[in-house]
Amino acid sequence: NLSVHFINKYVGRQYFDNTMSESRKIDPFLVSNLRIDWSPRPAFLSGADFQLLINNIFNVMYESNAYGGNWFEDGMEKTWAYYFPQAGINFIAKAAIRF
């Protein structure tokens, strides 16, 4: 009644606009999560399910989204970008009890 899942998510090169410019690219990243499911069968209940999900177990620092733009000034291209850093290690717990 116990299962353990190791989940990886890899995202390769991605650009946050249509220019395909190296200055407007989000670095590739790999994030690993761990999920533990336990379903004990106590005699006094119809059932129970417990789940623990640990996200980003290796505390990877990465950005998954960004936006930006560019303009020309004195014949030179200028650019700006804002990146959205994602959460470090975090967890979610679930408990379900059926009577």
PDB file of all heavy atoms in Angstrom, residues 9-27:
ATOM      1  N   LYS A   9      11.467  16.629 -14.688  1.00  0.00           N
ATOM      2  CA  LYS A   9      10.947  17.496 -15.751  1.00  0.00           C
ATOM      3  C   LYS A   9      12.134  18.241 -16.342  1.00  0.00           C
ATOM      4  O   LYS A   9      12.811  18.997 -15.627  1.00  0.00           O
ATOM      5  CB  LYS A   9       9.939  18.491 -15.186  1.00  0.00           C
ATOM      6  CG  LYS A   9       9.429  19.486 -16.212  1.00  0.00           C
ATOM      7  CD  LYS A   9       8.482  20.481 -15.551  1.00  0.00           C
ATOM      8  CE  LYS A   9       8.013  21.522 -16.531  1.00  0.00           C
ATOM      9  NZ  LYS A   9       7.147  22.513 -15.887  1.00  0.00           N
ATOM     10  N   TYR A  10      12.390  18.007 -17.616  1.00  0.00           N
ATOM     11  CA  TYR A  10      13.468  18.707 -18.303  1.00  0.00           C
ATOM     12  C   TYR A  10      12.855  19.633 -19.342  1.00  0.00           C
ATOM     13  O   TYR A  10      12.010  19.204 -20.136  1.00  0.00           O
ATOM     14  CB  TYR A  10      14.426  17.736 -18.989  1.00  0.00           C
ATOM     15  CG  TYR A  10      15.475  18.452 -19.802  1.00  0.00           C
ATOM     16  CD1 TYR A  10      16.546  19.074 -19.184  1.00  0.00           C
ATOM     17  CD2 TYR A  10      15.372  18.536 -21.180  1.00  0.00           C
ATOM     18  CE1 TYR A  10      17.492  19.764 -19.920  1.00  0.00           C
ATOM     19  CE2 TYR A  10      16.310  19.227 -21.925  1.00  0.00           C
ATOM     20  CZ  TYR A  10      17.373  19.837 -21.283  1.00  0.00           C
ATOM     21  OH  TYR A  10      18.301  20.525 -22.009  1.00  0.00           O
ATOM     22  N   VAL A  11      13.277  20.877 -19.353  1.00  0.00           N
ATOM     23  CA  VAL A  11      12.852  21.840 -20.362  1.00  0.00           C
ATOM     24  C   VAL A  11      14.111  22.353 -21.031  1.00  0.00           C
ATOM     25  O   VAL A  11      15.010  22.873 -20.368  1.00  0.00           O
ATOM     26  CB  VAL A  11      12.048  23.005 -19.745  1.00  0.00           C
ATOM     27  CG1 VAL A  11      11.688  24.032 -20.802  1.00  0.00           C
ATOM     28  CG2 VAL A  11      10.801  22.478 -19.048  1.00  0.00           C
ATOM     29  N   GLY A  12      14.188  22.173 -22.327  1.00  0.00           N
ATOM     30  CA  GLY A  12      15.360  22.595 -23.082  1.00  0.00           C
ATOM     31  C   GLY A  12      15.326  24.078 -23.417  1.00  0.00           C
ATOM     32  O   GLY A  12      14.592  24.863 -22.818  1.00  0.00           O
ATOM     33  N   ARG A  13      16.097  24.439 -24.392  1.00  0.00           N
ATOM     34  CA  ARG A  13      16.208  25.847 -24.798  1.00  0.00           C
ATOM     35  C   ARG A  13      14.843  26.401 -25.191  1.00  0.00           C
ATOM     36  O   ARG A  13      14.089  25.777 -25.913  1.00  0.00           O
ATOM     37  CB  ARG A  13      17.175  25.939 -25.975  1.00  0.00           C
ATOM     38  CG  ARG A  13      17.326  27.336 -26.534  1.00  0.00           C
ATOM     39  CD  ARG A  13      18.277  27.390 -27.695  1.00  0.00           C
ATOM     40  NE  ARG A  13      17.934  26.365 -28.677  1.00  0.00           N
ATOM     41  CZ  ARG A  13      18.804  25.794 -29.482  1.00  0.00           C
ATOM     42  NH1 ARG A  13      20.065  26.122 -29.439  1.00  0.00           N
ATOM     43  NH2 ARG A  13      18.424  24.875 -30.351  1.00  0.00           N
ATOM     44  N   GLN A  14      14.549  27.581 -24.690  1.00  0.00           N
ATOM     45  CA  GLN A  14      13.315  28.257 -25.087  1.00  0.00           C
ATOM     46  C   GLN A  14      13.563  29.760 -25.121  1.00  0.00           C
ATOM     47  O   GLN A  14      14.336  30.299 -24.337  1.00  0.00           O
ATOM     48  CB  GLN A  14      12.157  27.916 -24.150  1.00  0.00           C
ATOM     49  CG  GLN A  14      12.382  28.261 -22.705  1.00  0.00           C
ATOM     50  CD  GLN A  14      11.207  27.871 -21.841  1.00  0.00           C
ATOM     51  OE1 GLN A  14      10.065  27.875 -22.280  1.00  0.00           O
ATOM     52  NE2 GLN A  14      11.478  27.553 -20.590  1.00  0.00           N
ATOM     53  N   TYR A  15      12.905  30.386 -26.059  1.00  0.00           N
ATOM     54  CA  TYR A  15      13.001  31.835 -26.207  1.00  0.00           C
ATOM     55  C   TYR A  15      11.690  32.457 -25.741  1.00  0.00           C
ATOM     56  O   TYR A  15      10.635  31.871 -25.900  1.00  0.00           O
ATOM     57  CB  TYR A  15      13.247  32.200 -27.675  1.00  0.00           C
ATOM     58  CG  TYR A  15      14.535  31.640 -28.208  1.00  0.00           C
ATOM     59  CD1 TYR A  15      14.564  30.425 -28.897  1.00  0.00           C
ATOM     60  CD2 TYR A  15      15.731  32.312 -28.015  1.00  0.00           C
ATOM     61  CE1 TYR A  15      15.749  29.910 -29.372  1.00  0.00           C
ATOM     62  CE2 TYR A  15      16.926  31.803 -28.503  1.00  0.00           C
ATOM     63  CZ  TYR A  15      16.933  30.595 -29.173  1.00  0.00           C
ATOM     64  OH  TYR A  15      18.109  30.089 -29.645  1.00  0.00           O
ATOM     65  N   PHE A  16      11.766  33.648 -25.167  1.00  0.00           N
ATOM     66  CA  PHE A  16      10.536  34.271 -24.683  1.00  0.00           C
ATOM     67  C   PHE A  16       9.993  35.320 -25.637  1.00  0.00           C
ATOM     68  O   PHE A  16       9.067  36.049 -25.301  1.00  0.00           O
ATOM     69  CB  PHE A  16      10.681  34.821 -23.262  1.00  0.00           C
ATOM     70  CG  PHE A  16      11.773  35.816 -23.043  1.00  0.00           C
ATOM     71  CD1 PHE A  16      11.570  37.158 -23.299  1.00  0.00           C
ATOM     72  CD2 PHE A  16      12.997  35.403 -22.560  1.00  0.00           C
ATOM     73  CE1 PHE A  16      12.569  38.079 -23.072  1.00  0.00           C
ATOM     74  CE2 PHE A  16      14.000  36.320 -22.327  1.00  0.00           C
ATOM     75  CZ  PHE A  16      13.788  37.660 -22.588  1.00  0.00           C
ATOM     76  N   ASP A  17      10.532  35.381 -26.840  1.00  0.00           N
ATOM     77  CA  ASP A  17       9.925  36.178 -27.911  1.00  0.00           C
ATOM     78  C   ASP A  17      10.249  35.508 -29.245  1.00  0.00           C
ATOM     79  O   ASP A  17      10.835  34.430 -29.277  1.00  0.00           O
ATOM     80  CB  ASP A  17      10.364  37.645 -27.858  1.00  0.00           C
ATOM     81  CG  ASP A  17      11.831  37.859 -28.175  1.00  0.00           C
ATOM     82  OD1 ASP A  17      12.529  36.897 -28.563  1.00  0.00           O
ATOM     83  OD2 ASP A  17      12.297  39.006 -28.032  1.00  0.00           O
ATOM     84  N   ASN A  18       9.868  36.120 -30.320  1.00  0.00           N
ATOM     85  CA  ASN A  18      10.034  35.493 -31.633  1.00  0.00           C
ATOM     86  C   ASN A  18      11.342  35.834 -32.336  1.00  0.00           C
ATOM     87  O   ASN A  18      11.529  35.468 -33.480  1.00  0.00           O
ATOM     88  CB  ASN A  18       8.863  35.889 -32.546  1.00  0.00           C
ATOM     89  CG  ASN A  18       7.573  35.270 -32.087  1.00  0.00           C
ATOM     90  OD1 ASN A  18       7.568  34.203 -31.485  1.00  0.00           O
ATOM     91  ND2 ASN A  18       6.464  35.945 -32.339  1.00  0.00           N
ATOM     92  N   THR A  19      12.261  36.515 -31.656  1.00  0.00           N
ATOM     93  CA  THR A  19      13.507  36.920 -32.312  1.00  0.00           C
ATOM     94  C   THR A  19      14.553  35.815 -32.339  1.00  0.00           C
ATOM     95  O   THR A  19      15.494  35.879 -33.107  1.00  0.00           O
ATOM     96  CB  THR A  19      14.124  38.137 -31.597  1.00  0.00           C
ATOM     97  OG1 THR A  19      14.482  37.762 -30.264  1.00  0.00           O
ATOM     98  CG2 THR A  19      13.166  39.308 -31.584  1.00  0.00           C
ATOM     99  N   MET A  20      14.434  34.822 -31.469  1.00  0.00           N
ATOM    100  CA  MET A  20      15.426  33.753 -31.308  1.00  0.00           C
ATOM    101  C   MET A  20      16.803  34.334 -30.979  1.00  0.00           C
ATOM    102  O   MET A  20      17.830  33.780 -31.332  1.00  0.00           O
ATOM    103  CB  MET A  20      15.472  32.833 -32.524  1.00  0.00           C
ATOM    104  CG  MET A  20      14.173  32.057 -32.720  1.00  0.00           C
ATOM    105  SD  MET A  20      14.203  30.885 -34.074  1.00  0.00           S
ATOM    106  CE  MET A  20      15.359  29.699 -33.473  1.00  0.00           C
ATOM    107  N   SER A  21      16.803  35.448 -30.278  1.00  0.00           N
ATOM    108  CA  SER A  21      18.041  36.099 -29.866  1.00  0.00           C
ATOM    109  C   SER A  21      18.575  35.417 -28.605  1.00  0.00           C
ATOM    110  O   SER A  21      17.821  35.107 -27.686  1.00  0.00           O
ATOM    111  CB  SER A  21      17.769  37.575 -29.586  1.00  0.00           C
ATOM    112  OG  SER A  21      18.880  38.165 -28.955  1.00  0.00           O
ATOM    113  N   GLU A  22      19.886  35.227 -28.543  1.00  0.00           N
ATOM    114  CA  GLU A  22      20.497  34.618 -27.364  1.00  0.00           C
ATOM    115  C   GLU A  22      20.280  35.459 -26.109  1.00  0.00           C
ATOM    116  O   GLU A  22      20.266  34.933 -25.001  1.00  0.00           O
ATOM    117  CB  GLU A  22      21.994  34.405 -27.598  1.00  0.00           C
ATOM    118  CG  GLU A  22      22.317  33.314 -28.610  1.00  0.00           C
ATOM    119  CD  GLU A  22      21.879  31.938 -28.126  1.00  0.00           C
ATOM    120  OE1 GLU A  22      22.188  31.559 -26.987  1.00  0.00           O
ATOM    121  OE2 GLU A  22      21.210  31.228 -28.913  1.00  0.00           O
ATOM    122  N   SER A  23      20.088  36.764 -26.275  1.00  0.00           N
ATOM    123  CA  SER A  23      19.862  37.621 -25.115  1.00  0.00           C
ATOM    124  C   SER A  23      18.433  37.510 -24.578  1.00  0.00           C
ATOM    125  O   SER A  23      18.139  38.028 -23.509  1.00  0.00           O
ATOM    126  CB  SER A  23      20.175  39.080 -25.449  1.00  0.00           C
ATOM    127  OG  SER A  23      19.273  39.559 -26.418  1.00  0.00           O
ATOM    128  N   ARG A  24      17.556  36.829 -25.312  1.00  0.00           N
ATOM    129  CA  ARG A  24      16.174  36.655 -24.869  1.00  0.00           C
ATOM    130  C   ARG A  24      15.825  35.158 -24.835  1.00  0.00           C
ATOM    131  O   ARG A  24      14.845  34.701 -25.401  1.00  0.00           O
ATOM    132  CB  ARG A  24      15.232  37.446 -25.766  1.00  0.00           C
ATOM    133  CG  ARG A  24      15.399  38.941 -25.544  1.00  0.00           C
ATOM    134  CD  ARG A  24      14.396  39.765 -26.294  1.00  0.00           C
ATOM    135  NE  ARG A  24      14.686  39.950 -27.714  1.00  0.00           N
ATOM    136  CZ  ARG A  24      15.592  40.805 -28.193  1.00  0.00           C
ATOM    137  NH1 ARG A  24      16.317  41.515 -27.377  1.00  0.00           N
ATOM    138  NH2 ARG A  24      15.764  40.946 -29.484  1.00  0.00           N
ATOM    139  N   LYS A  25      16.702  34.445 -24.134  1.00  0.00           N
ATOM    140  CA  LYS A  25      16.566  32.998 -24.030  1.00  0.00           C
ATOM    141  C   LYS A  25      16.513  32.609 -22.551  1.00  0.00           C
ATOM    142  O   LYS A  25      17.171  33.215 -21.720  1.00  0.00           O
ATOM    143  CB  LYS A  25      17.769  32.338 -24.698  1.00  0.00           C
ATOM    144  CG  LYS A  25      17.748  30.827 -24.670  1.00  0.00           C
ATOM    145  CD  LYS A  25      18.933  30.253 -25.406  1.00  0.00           C
ATOM    146  CE  LYS A  25      20.149  30.350 -24.527  1.00  0.00           C
ATOM    147  NZ  LYS A  25      21.291  29.592 -25.005  1.00  0.00           N
ATOM    148  N   ILE A  26      15.713  31.609 -22.241  1.00  0.00           N
ATOM    149  CA  ILE A  26      15.661  31.051 -20.891  1.00  0.00           C
ATOM    150  C   ILE A  26      16.545  29.814 -20.882  1.00  0.00           C
ATOM    151  O   ILE A  26      16.449  28.965 -21.774  1.00  0.00           O
ATOM    152  CB  ILE A  26      14.214  30.687 -20.500  1.00  0.00           C
ATOM    153  CG1 ILE A  26      13.340  31.931 -20.520  1.00  0.00           C
ATOM    154  CG2 ILE A  26      14.178  30.023 -19.140  1.00  0.00           C
ATOM    155  CD1 ILE A  26      11.878  31.652 -20.328  1.00  0.00           C
ATOM    156  N   ASP A  27      17.406  29.721 -19.889  1.00  0.00           N
ATOM    157  CA  ASP A  27      18.316  28.583 -19.805  1.00  0.00           C
ATOM    158  C   ASP A  27      17.541  27.277 -19.599  1.00  0.00           C
ATOM    159  O   ASP A  27      16.528  27.262 -18.902  1.00  0.00           O
ATOM    160  CB  ASP A  27      19.302  28.770 -18.653  1.00  0.00           C
ATOM    161  CG  ASP A  27      20.288  29.888 -18.911  1.00  0.00           C
ATOM    162  OD1 ASP A  27      20.591  30.158 -20.094  1.00  0.00           O
ATOM    163  OD2 ASP A  27      20.765  30.489 -17.935  1.00  0.00           O
TER     164      ASP A  27
END
